[in-house]
Amino acid sequence: MDMKMSDTGFTALMDRFSLTCKSERDMDKLAHIFSYYISDIVEHVLCFGGDILNITGNVLLALWTVEQNQLSDIITLVAKCSLEIQEKFGIYHTREGQDLQLQIGLSAGRISQVIVGDEQRQYLLVIGRNVDDVQLAQRLAQANEIVLSWNCWMLCEQYMFEVEIMKEYEAVKIDVGQPMEYISEFRTVTMVLVSLEFHQTAWMLHLCHLIQEAASYISRVIEKGGGQLSRIFMFEKGCMFLCVFGFPGDKKPDECAHALESSFSIFNFCWENLAETKLVSISITNGPVFCGMVGAVARHEYTVIGPKVSLVARMITAYPGLVSCDEVTYLRSMLPTYNFKKLPEKMMKNISNPGKMYEYLGHKRCIMFGKRHLVRERNENHPLLDREKELETFRMAQQGCLHQKKGQAILYEGGKGYGKSQLLAEINLLAQKEGHRVLPLKLKEADSKQRFYAIQTLMAIFFEIDTCPAYYRQECLHKQLCEMVEEPLHCLFNDLFFVKFPLSFEVSHMDDLTRQKKIKACFFQVLQEALRETQLIFLIDEAQHMDAASWEFLGTLLSSVPIIMVMTLTPTFTLCGEAQHFLQSPHAMLMPISKLAVNSLLRMACWELGVVSIPQELQIYLLHRCFGNPLYCEVLCQDLLSKDILLFHDLQKVEEENSKWETLSANTTKSTMYSIPPASSEEDLELYVCTVKEDVNLDAVLLPPLLKEIAVIQLDQLSPEEQLLVKCAAVIGHSFHIGLLQHLLPGWGKHKLLRVLRALVDIHVFRWCNKSQELPVEPKLMPFSIEIIGKTKAEKKKSGAGSPLELNEELFLPQPEVLEFGVPLLRAAAWELWPKVQQIALHLKCAWFLQPLACRCGSCQRGDFVPFHRFAICPIKSSRGTFRFCSYRDTGSVLTQVTTDKLQLPLPKDSFQLQEKPSRSREAFASEHCRTEEEFLDQVSRKLAQTSPEKDVLTTKPCHCEEILKLVLWPLTQHCLITGENACAFYYLLEAAAASLDLSDNYMAFFYLRKASSLLGQPSAFSFLKKRKVKICQFQEAAFCRLRSEVCFNMGQITLAKKLARQALHLLKKNFPWTWFGVLFQTFLEKYWHPCSMSQPPDNPDENKKKLAVLQQRVHCLSLLWQLYNLEATASSRRFACLATLMQKNSAEEFANEAQVVSTYVALSQFSQNVGDREQWLHCERMAIQKSSRCWFSREGWLATAQLVQALAYTKLCLGHLDLSIKLGFQAYEISRHLRKPALENLVLSVLFRSAFLKKKFDLCVHVLDSQWALISQGHNILGLACFYSACLDLLLYGKGLRCRPFGECLRFIQYHEHSCILTSQSNVMLGVHSSLAMWFAQDSQWHLFEHHFSKAHQLVRRTNASLFGSHGFVRFLECHMLTSQRVPGAVLMHAPPETQTQVSKYFKEFFSRCVTCPVYHQWVSKLKASVMRCGKREFMSLNNIIRPFDTCLARIWIEGNFLEENKSLEGNVPMQRFDRVADVKENRDEEEIQECKC
């Protein structure tokens, strides 16, 4: 008993998808609809005792095997099954608006089962009259109908059914009202459908033999071309064979060409060898399809689904008796156009736009030869990158050919896309400029099958007959040969060049071998004659496709004629014996082509995009996908432009402050980009930078088809186990940990996982992270443990190993187990192969695994990066309910278990205790209050000198928060974004931004916050219309504002930073006044407000932590506010800043955290020093020392201690105690280096440099600057670089000839960045920079440049304060002022005429009144003032006596002229060593020069 079912709407649905889908991802919906729909039908058939024989496209064939005496009962049973199926599944409504409706045909009788195939592959066929009847019945059925064959109707219990007799067709119509997902993939494949229609008179047995013969031949030919015979199925007139090229594991290059050639071979075979064949039709299509399992758990089948599958079936009917192909196959085959014939357009059922169709005529040799051609043309605006060595090899070959009088061959070998054709284009241009004759040729794979093709074409190019008309070819060749070859021999070239010279008597008596030898001899003679006039150079691209005869000829030519041959080879091809013999020639050189260096690749990307800068995320995107391959870079850049995901900004546009976060321009972040100099030096040239749109996730951007095919071919070269592992690793990300990989492969043991990983590492698919980078001195973070993964949830709960607190012991493994992809494109292509449903499920598994690890490292007490973040958030219910794929029922997949629940935000119960109960030793130590500065410094020295568990906080437990950010937080955010869990993604984006700010990476914090902004959507101008796309609580809104405020502050966006900080305080229910009256009132409240102590344990710990979270954010906001107002030297700003410091102190004391209180008092002391409040400055410092008694037991406490030691070093420097300041600087540097706090480390080095500089320890200054350069040169800290170059200028001016960076570099940096918002907001630093530059140009008598920088310093002096940098800049400004009044000729200062002595005296007076907290400069400024007074009585004074506090060697440098610009001897980085040793050595030598408080 047979049943055949098909649905009427599936082809139309596929056509609708082909018209509306924007990517291959939408076909996942199509595959899932069909799989879900068909699985229910399959299970229904199985429940009624049937079995599934075949599922082909939208057709299902079922079979009931019965005895003859049971046939009537089984027919009734099957009819009931059909009725029930029609009732339940007859009409299936899809969201796309296309209904699926069933057609069912039934037949009963005898059938025959035939097995065809060979020993490797066998196929089951069901044939017979009964099969024809069921196909006829199914074809006659309309939608929602069941049709019985006449024989089936006669054998059933007819009284049970109401029927309609279809007499015309002798039929009766019944009236009726492993995980499979790991196997499924989306792939671009080429499908070949072979249709054999037999004569109806053929015997059944003979028909079986014909099918067997055809199946064996088709399978053999298809497999030879890299395809598979997927299935064989019968129809009423014959048999069809579906073949697929590109199944998993079978992807090969030139897939379409192989499919066409195989199809034509099959077409000829079937016509010539299958006698009973009536008609042979073959159709070929190429396109994306779903390849995977469909059906139920008990019965399923591997199949292909997609619009191209329907198209290949319709083409058989539309173009019978032909080998037809669609336009995509025609274009991708890259075969000559004369092998095809365009077919007329025809209408096809349920396919609205099939496109152009072509008939393949087979491989024919057209009467023509190749033409001169190179794939690439030299772009003069884009010079060749990183190919100096290859070009030098070519020049050496030229010299060798000239001197040795023998041929030279260079063969450049490199992978696809390495730039071999570009290199040939460069050589072609260089050779033509030198006047050489170049013969270029590009070969294809088909050319290797034509004997002597390469030489034939090269000589045609040589004779210049390759481009002339056919009728003129013979005359042109005759002119070329008449002077070099005897005329009777001209007819030798008739067949070779398609000419018709008369056959001479001499040639007619030659055999074929003699003719070939004579032709070669003539070629040698002709080339020798040509070499007398100019050098000949053969350029052959893709030489691996050269035929053997041509290789043999070139080998002989190389040894006898002084000619240069330059070829390119792709190493994946196997060369013939003649080619290998050629390579062994002593005159041939094989040279591998290397990948592009990172900088060269990024430079190329800038050229392709037409910009001078690209952002950091785009750099990572290109580097992870290109791995130095220029072709990949070019295609990816073009793809980004076509998808319109980049924004372009004018670089020359003046950078201005923005009032809105959403309108921050690219100029705000241009310092973080990779930059190249413009290609032209024209001043009016428009220069652009690009950024990525906010809502674009570059990791989810699909690869261009060309690159995806290349990567899938590489993937299919791996074994099935290796492919599965690579696909799972691709879900995790570019870098992944073994533990998470094993979590995605639960059926794999650790031994199997490591075995497969080792094999992939050996072939460079993966690489260990520590091998690709510099080995870390300290243990690297391992974000999870394999031992913990293997436990069940119950075991974790029982043992407590599932909590992050217990995970601490497993976080740091002795051996690194983090790998990364080592092959370009492979990760992106493998990720795209996953169907959308399985992709989301795997990302969700990764997110669940990483979620417990998304916190600070163990040495930082594993808290949230946004303090107490998880305690402050309110439970947020998802508005989307469950995932879309949760509604589908369980199909036995291992992935369905992870889709039943939602990914939740971190809960307080999952957290850990942040503050442990003090131990006895801590309590005992707490009683030893550090009441004096001497006691505190003594304790710091003892702690740094001793070896104890307390010091182990610094040495044995280093901070690994940076690794957590890279390996946990950002990947976790990516997983949440892909799975659509935007609330969780927003949470972790805030965490990632806070972590980046902790690590002083402001750009990445800006990047994460931009992502968070895109999740929330654009805010409305009206508050009542404000509706977020993601629902967040008020605390998260406040934290979001606070983080953006800090980022804006670091970017120099002062106005916007103030606005966001105030907004955050408002959300935290702590308002900050706007008016001076509000300031007075709030100050009164804060002074007489006593914070509540929180030392007693609260009744509700969670509520306490929520309050702590709010207090911590308040402290951060108030700290930002006083720093922002401190940048403005106005009385109003000072009042606001004072209030902010007072509110910060009160909030910190309410917070009741010792480290936080210490840090707050350190900040207050810094502020008091800046505003010149000496009493408050020293008072806050003493309070910080007294509060620091318990800052020795945690990393947070050590950070507060480092800040306090740095503040003391700063204080001693300002007071003039330089020796003590240097000692404290060493201690602060050691602590900050262990804490891995680059911002603090940079600040310490700046103070240390200033102390050593004033102490005239210039060697120590150089060491400090070298270490500072190593710290900040790789980052994006513009302010840090400005301070660094300011110090370099001081060293150049006063350092006795020593320098760290050349003056030209310092000047270029200032010129490039001086208009950035970051530096325009830092008046203190820029005053010193411009004053130092003015002094430099004054010494060189460049008065116009002196005036330029001095006028800028003049504008800045009023906006500075009493800080160290402000005082230093003021001193430099006073020195410049003396030059204008005493040394500079008045005529040269056009815009800033010299001021009177009274005006200059006001500046001195202002200095002493403002800089009262920086007495280290007072003695020197007093000397300057005295010099001014004396200068009024004298007309001339030596410049050195006026502005030189030290002896200098600048005079020698001036004489040498370009010494500072060109000498590179001192530019190398001197490694940072123990500064105190350098200081001690220098101190003995300079002891007689040291006087405290002197400049």
Side-chain angles (χ1 to χ4, degrees), residues 1173-1187:
D1173 190 343
R1174 181 185 180 97
E1175 182 180 351
Q1176 184 68 15
W1177 168 33
L1178 300 179
H1179 169 73
C1180 290
E1181 199 170 87
R1182 286 193 299 270
M1183 290 298 298
I1185 292 173
Q1186 291 183 9
K1187 297 285 186 180

PDB file of all heavy atoms in Angstrom, residues 1173-1187:
ATOM      1  N   ASP A1173      44.441  76.824  48.209  1.00  0.00           N
ATOM      2  CA  ASP A1173      44.027  76.807  49.618  1.00  0.00           C
ATOM      3  C   ASP A1173      44.999  75.907  50.380  1.00  0.00           C
ATOM      4  O   ASP A1173      44.772  74.707  50.532  1.00  0.00           O
ATOM      5  CB  ASP A1173      42.591  76.298  49.736  1.00  0.00           C
ATOM      6  CG  ASP A1173      42.021  76.481  51.130  1.00  0.00           C
ATOM      7  OD1 ASP A1173      42.807  76.696  52.072  1.00  0.00           O
ATOM      8  OD2 ASP A1173      40.783  76.383  51.275  1.00  0.00           O
ATOM      9  N   ARG A1174      46.094  76.504  50.870  1.00  0.00           N
ATOM     10  CA  ARG A1174      47.162  75.719  51.485  1.00  0.00           C
ATOM     11  C   ARG A1174      46.694  75.008  52.746  1.00  0.00           C
ATOM     12  O   ARG A1174      47.006  73.834  52.967  1.00  0.00           O
ATOM     13  CB  ARG A1174      48.345  76.643  51.807  1.00  0.00           C
ATOM     14  CG  ARG A1174      49.539  75.933  52.421  1.00  0.00           C
ATOM     15  CD  ARG A1174      50.614  76.943  52.825  1.00  0.00           C
ATOM     16  NE  ARG A1174      51.765  76.283  53.404  1.00  0.00           N
ATOM     17  CZ  ARG A1174      52.871  75.970  52.747  1.00  0.00           C
ATOM     18  NH1 ARG A1174      52.960  76.280  51.463  1.00  0.00           N
ATOM     19  NH2 ARG A1174      53.892  75.381  53.342  1.00  0.00           N
ATOM     20  N   GLU A1175      45.926  75.689  53.578  1.00  0.00           N
ATOM     21  CA  GLU A1175      45.484  75.092  54.846  1.00  0.00           C
ATOM     22  C   GLU A1175      44.589  73.875  54.600  1.00  0.00           C
ATOM     23  O   GLU A1175      44.800  72.813  55.200  1.00  0.00           O
ATOM     24  CB  GLU A1175      44.750  76.150  55.681  1.00  0.00           C
ATOM     25  CG  GLU A1175      44.288  75.640  57.042  1.00  0.00           C
ATOM     26  CD  GLU A1175      43.576  76.714  57.839  1.00  0.00           C
ATOM     27  OE1 GLU A1175      43.600  77.887  57.400  1.00  0.00           O
ATOM     28  OE2 GLU A1175      42.990  76.383  58.894  1.00  0.00           O
ATOM     29  N   GLN A1176      43.611  74.024  53.731  1.00  0.00           N
ATOM     30  CA  GLN A1176      42.707  72.910  53.442  1.00  0.00           C
ATOM     31  C   GLN A1176      43.454  71.775  52.740  1.00  0.00           C
ATOM     32  O   GLN A1176      43.164  70.591  52.959  1.00  0.00           O
ATOM     33  CB  GLN A1176      41.543  73.407  52.574  1.00  0.00           C
ATOM     34  CG  GLN A1176      40.479  72.351  52.281  1.00  0.00           C
ATOM     35  CD  GLN A1176      39.693  71.956  53.517  1.00  0.00           C
ATOM     36  OE1 GLN A1176      39.742  72.649  54.532  1.00  0.00           O
ATOM     37  NE2 GLN A1176      39.004  70.829  53.436  1.00  0.00           N
ATOM     38  N   TRP A1177      44.403  72.134  51.935  1.00  0.00           N
ATOM     39  CA  TRP A1177      45.214  71.148  51.205  1.00  0.00           C
ATOM     40  C   TRP A1177      45.918  70.215  52.184  1.00  0.00           C
ATOM     41  O   TRP A1177      45.801  68.987  52.100  1.00  0.00           O
ATOM     42  CB  TRP A1177      46.202  71.918  50.315  1.00  0.00           C
ATOM     43  CG  TRP A1177      47.303  71.107  49.687  1.00  0.00           C
ATOM     44  CD1 TRP A1177      47.246  69.825  49.276  1.00  0.00           C
ATOM     45  CD2 TRP A1177      48.628  71.555  49.419  1.00  0.00           C
ATOM     46  NE1 TRP A1177      48.450  69.437  48.755  1.00  0.00           N
ATOM     47  CE2 TRP A1177      49.314  70.489  48.821  1.00  0.00           C
ATOM     48  CE3 TRP A1177      49.306  72.772  49.610  1.00  0.00           C
ATOM     49  CZ2 TRP A1177      50.648  70.579  48.413  1.00  0.00           C
ATOM     50  CZ3 TRP A1177      50.621  72.872  49.192  1.00  0.00           C
ATOM     51  CH2 TRP A1177      51.297  71.782  48.612  1.00  0.00           C
ATOM     52  N   LEU A1178      46.652  70.775  53.112  1.00  0.00           N
ATOM     53  CA  LEU A1178      47.407  69.950  54.056  1.00  0.00           C
ATOM     54  C   LEU A1178      46.485  69.251  55.058  1.00  0.00           C
ATOM     55  O   LEU A1178      46.778  68.127  55.493  1.00  0.00           O
ATOM     56  CB  LEU A1178      48.427  70.830  54.783  1.00  0.00           C
ATOM     57  CG  LEU A1178      49.454  71.515  53.861  1.00  0.00           C
ATOM     58  CD1 LEU A1178      50.403  72.384  54.685  1.00  0.00           C
ATOM     59  CD2 LEU A1178      50.247  70.469  53.075  1.00  0.00           C
ATOM     60  N   HIS A1179      45.360  69.882  55.385  1.00  0.00           N
ATOM     61  CA  HIS A1179      44.407  69.246  56.301  1.00  0.00           C
ATOM     62  C   HIS A1179      43.817  67.975  55.679  1.00  0.00           C
ATOM     63  O   HIS A1179      43.740  66.922  56.339  1.00  0.00           O
ATOM     64  CB  HIS A1179      43.298  70.227  56.658  1.00  0.00           C
ATOM     65  CG  HIS A1179      42.144  69.577  57.368  1.00  0.00           C
ATOM     66  ND1 HIS A1179      42.224  69.151  58.695  1.00  0.00           N
ATOM     67  CD2 HIS A1179      40.874  69.246  56.939  1.00  0.00           C
ATOM     68  CE1 HIS A1179      41.069  68.594  59.037  1.00  0.00           C
ATOM     69  NE2 HIS A1179      40.240  68.646  57.999  1.00  0.00           N
ATOM     70  N   CYS A1180      43.406  68.047  54.436  1.00  0.00           N
ATOM     71  CA  CYS A1180      42.833  66.869  53.768  1.00  0.00           C
ATOM     72  C   CYS A1180      43.873  65.765  53.633  1.00  0.00           C
ATOM     73  O   CYS A1180      43.554  64.574  53.744  1.00  0.00           O
ATOM     74  CB  CYS A1180      42.294  67.259  52.392  1.00  0.00           C
ATOM     75  SG  CYS A1180      40.812  68.298  52.460  1.00  0.00           S
ATOM     76  N   GLU A1181      45.098  66.160  53.433  1.00  0.00           N
ATOM     77  CA  GLU A1181      46.156  65.155  53.326  1.00  0.00           C
ATOM     78  C   GLU A1181      46.347  64.432  54.647  1.00  0.00           C
ATOM     79  O   GLU A1181      46.505  63.210  54.697  1.00  0.00           O
ATOM     80  CB  GLU A1181      47.448  65.840  52.879  1.00  0.00           C
ATOM     81  CG  GLU A1181      48.473  64.893  52.305  1.00  0.00           C
ATOM     82  CD  GLU A1181      49.601  65.659  51.674  1.00  0.00           C
ATOM     83  OE1 GLU A1181      50.551  65.996  52.414  1.00  0.00           O
ATOM     84  OE2 GLU A1181      49.533  65.927  50.453  1.00  0.00           O
ATOM     85  N   ARG A1182      46.334  65.199  55.751  1.00  0.00           N
ATOM     86  CA  ARG A1182      46.467  64.566  57.061  1.00  0.00           C
ATOM     87  C   ARG A1182      45.274  63.654  57.352  1.00  0.00           C
ATOM     88  O   ARG A1182      45.428  62.569  57.915  1.00  0.00           O
ATOM     89  CB  ARG A1182      46.583  65.651  58.145  1.00  0.00           C
ATOM     90  CG  ARG A1182      47.930  66.366  58.174  1.00  0.00           C
ATOM     91  CD  ARG A1182      48.092  67.170  59.443  1.00  0.00           C
ATOM     92  NE  ARG A1182      47.050  68.210  59.563  1.00  0.00           N
ATOM     93  CZ  ARG A1182      47.195  69.452  59.069  1.00  0.00           C
ATOM     94  NH1 ARG A1182      48.305  69.805  58.447  1.00  0.00           N
ATOM     95  NH2 ARG A1182      46.219  70.341  59.232  1.00  0.00           N
ATOM     96  N   MET A1183      44.082  64.068  56.971  1.00  0.00           N
ATOM     97  CA  MET A1183      42.902  63.232  57.183  1.00  0.00           C
ATOM     98  C   MET A1183      42.999  61.939  56.382  1.00  0.00           C
ATOM     99  O   MET A1183      42.622  60.857  56.868  1.00  0.00           O
ATOM    100  CB  MET A1183      41.639  64.003  56.771  1.00  0.00           C
ATOM    101  CG  MET A1183      41.285  65.157  57.698  1.00  0.00           C
ATOM    102  SD  MET A1183      40.934  64.591  59.387  1.00  0.00           S
ATOM    103  CE  MET A1183      39.506  63.548  59.094  1.00  0.00           C
ATOM    104  N   ALA A1184      43.500  62.010  55.161  1.00  0.00           N
ATOM    105  CA  ALA A1184      43.663  60.801  54.353  1.00  0.00           C
ATOM    106  C   ALA A1184      44.641  59.845  55.007  1.00  0.00           C
ATOM    107  O   ALA A1184      44.434  58.620  55.018  1.00  0.00           O
ATOM    108  CB  ALA A1184      44.134  61.182  52.944  1.00  0.00           C
ATOM    109  N   ILE A1185      45.713  60.386  55.593  1.00  0.00           N
ATOM    110  CA  ILE A1185      46.698  59.528  56.272  1.00  0.00           C
ATOM    111  C   ILE A1185      46.071  58.868  57.485  1.00  0.00           C
ATOM    112  O   ILE A1185      46.261  57.666  57.727  1.00  0.00           O
ATOM    113  CB  ILE A1185      47.931  60.365  56.662  1.00  0.00           C
ATOM    114  CG1 ILE A1185      48.689  60.823  55.405  1.00  0.00           C
ATOM    115  CG2 ILE A1185      48.847  59.581  57.584  1.00  0.00           C
ATOM    116  CD1 ILE A1185      49.814  61.778  55.690  1.00  0.00           C
ATOM    117  N   GLN A1186      45.305  59.601  58.237  1.00  0.00           N
ATOM    118  CA  GLN A1186      44.679  59.025  59.441  1.00  0.00           C
ATOM    119  C   GLN A1186      43.628  57.975  59.075  1.00  0.00           C
ATOM    120  O   GLN A1186      43.433  57.005  59.815  1.00  0.00           O
ATOM    121  CB  GLN A1186      44.040  60.137  60.264  1.00  0.00           C
ATOM    122  CG  GLN A1186      45.054  61.070  60.914  1.00  0.00           C
ATOM    123  CD  GLN A1186      44.391  62.126  61.787  1.00  0.00           C
ATOM    124  OE1 GLN A1186      43.194  62.063  62.029  1.00  0.00           O
ATOM    125  NE2 GLN A1186      45.175  63.092  62.244  1.00  0.00           N
ATOM    126  N   LYS A1187      42.937  58.147  57.953  1.00  0.00           N
ATOM    127  CA  LYS A1187      41.898  57.200  57.558  1.00  0.00           C
ATOM    128  C   LYS A1187      42.458  55.964  56.855  1.00  0.00           C
ATOM    129  O   LYS A1187      41.713  55.048  56.515  1.00  0.00           O
ATOM    130  CB  LYS A1187      40.902  57.884  56.612  1.00  0.00           C
ATOM    131  CG  LYS A1187      40.138  59.050  57.228  1.00  0.00           C
ATOM    132  CD  LYS A1187      39.066  58.572  58.179  1.00  0.00           C
ATOM    133  CE  LYS A1187      38.226  59.734  58.675  1.00  0.00           C
ATOM    134  NZ  LYS A1187      37.158  59.295  59.608  1.00  0.00           N
TER     135      LYS A1187
END
